[in-house]
Amino acid sequence: MRPLVAVVIVLALVVAAAAVGFYTGQPRHDADAFSSPPARSDATAAAPAAAAPANAPARRRPGKVLPLVDAMKELDLIRPSRAKLAEDFTLATPGGGTFKLSEHRGKVVMINFWATWCPPCLEEMPAMERLYRQQKDAGFTLVAVSVDTDPKKVTPFVAAHKLTFTVGLDPKMDLANAYAVRALPSSFLVGRDGSLTALAIGPRHWDNDAAHSVVEGMAR
């Protein structure tokens, strides 16, 4: 009987030790389980706010961003054979003001030659307006140079189509001739340094991904 009693006593001691270990160890495990995750969650939540710069730029538009060279190719723009500054000019505007190209140095400037009687010009005007509205706060400006011989036709046209970009008047085609314009519409893109960067002869989809990518690439 004594061996049996000894065995029972040993078993009782083992069970008691296990129970003590369970109840003394489990609370620490539970505390880790419920206290540690909130600490990690707080640190994770605070990290993005601390890491993100205050002036981090937001994405300006949805859509695809193309490399500048690819965007120009897709838009079928003509690159000048050699670097040259765009010829400076000052034009009257229908409201009685003026537009001087050199005053916009540091911005990407689009110079568009058009006329109220030109159907392809009217075709691209809405897209130009959308491009201008979306990119004007990102260092982009647009001047649409009317070659109408009667400037009085321009103001009603601009009002009817709710155009917000600048319109210049070139009734004698002095500027158009200086830029060797031979077809309407013709558009010239001028870089931030004042250099002539690209030319488009004929209408373009000025509000597609390629057009936005060209402006954004030139503005960088």
Side-chain angles (χ1 to χ4, degrees), residues 61-78:
R61 64 177 177 88
K64 186 168 56 175
V65 178
L66 303 173
L68 181 57
V69 173
D70 295 344
M72 287 191 171
K73 184 177 180 180
E74 184 170 321
L75 208 57
D76 195 21
L77 299 182
I78 302 169

Side-chain angles (χ1 to χ4, degrees), residues 76-138:
D76 195 21
L77 299 182
I78 302 169
R79 304 290 299 273
S81 57
R82 58 185 178 84
K84 59 176 291 188
L85 288 178
E87 181 150 351
D88 194 17
F89 60 84
T90 300
L91 284 181
T93 63
T98 58
F99 178 94
K100 185 175 178 63
L101 178 61
S102 58
E103 291 179 350
H104 297 269
R105 188 67 60 86
K107 294 182 177 181
V108 177
V109 181
M110 178 175 169
I111 308 167
N112 173 264
F113 290 88
W114 69 288
T116 58
W117 45 261
C118 165
C121 300
L122 310 187
E123 174 188 332
E124 70 174 0
M125 281 281 183
M128 287 169 49
E129 175 67 17
R130 289 190 290 271
L131 177 69
Y132 172 70
R133 289 191 182 191
Q134 189 155 349
Q135 298 290 349
K136 64 180 180 179
D137 294 330

Side-chain angles (χ1 to χ4, degrees), residues 34-48:
F34 287 97
S35 63
S36 298
R40 290 193 299 269
S41 176
D42 292 344
T44 303

Side-chain angles (χ1 to χ4, degrees), residues 7 11 65 73-74 76 88-89 119 133 147-148 160 167 169-170 180 192 210 215 218:
V7 169
L11 287 175
V65 178
K73 184 177 180 180
E74 184 170 321
D76 195 21
D88 194 17
F89 60 84
R133 289 191 182 191
V147 296
D148 286 271
V167 174
L169 303 175
D170 187 28
R192 296 172 57 196
V215 172
M218 291 178 62

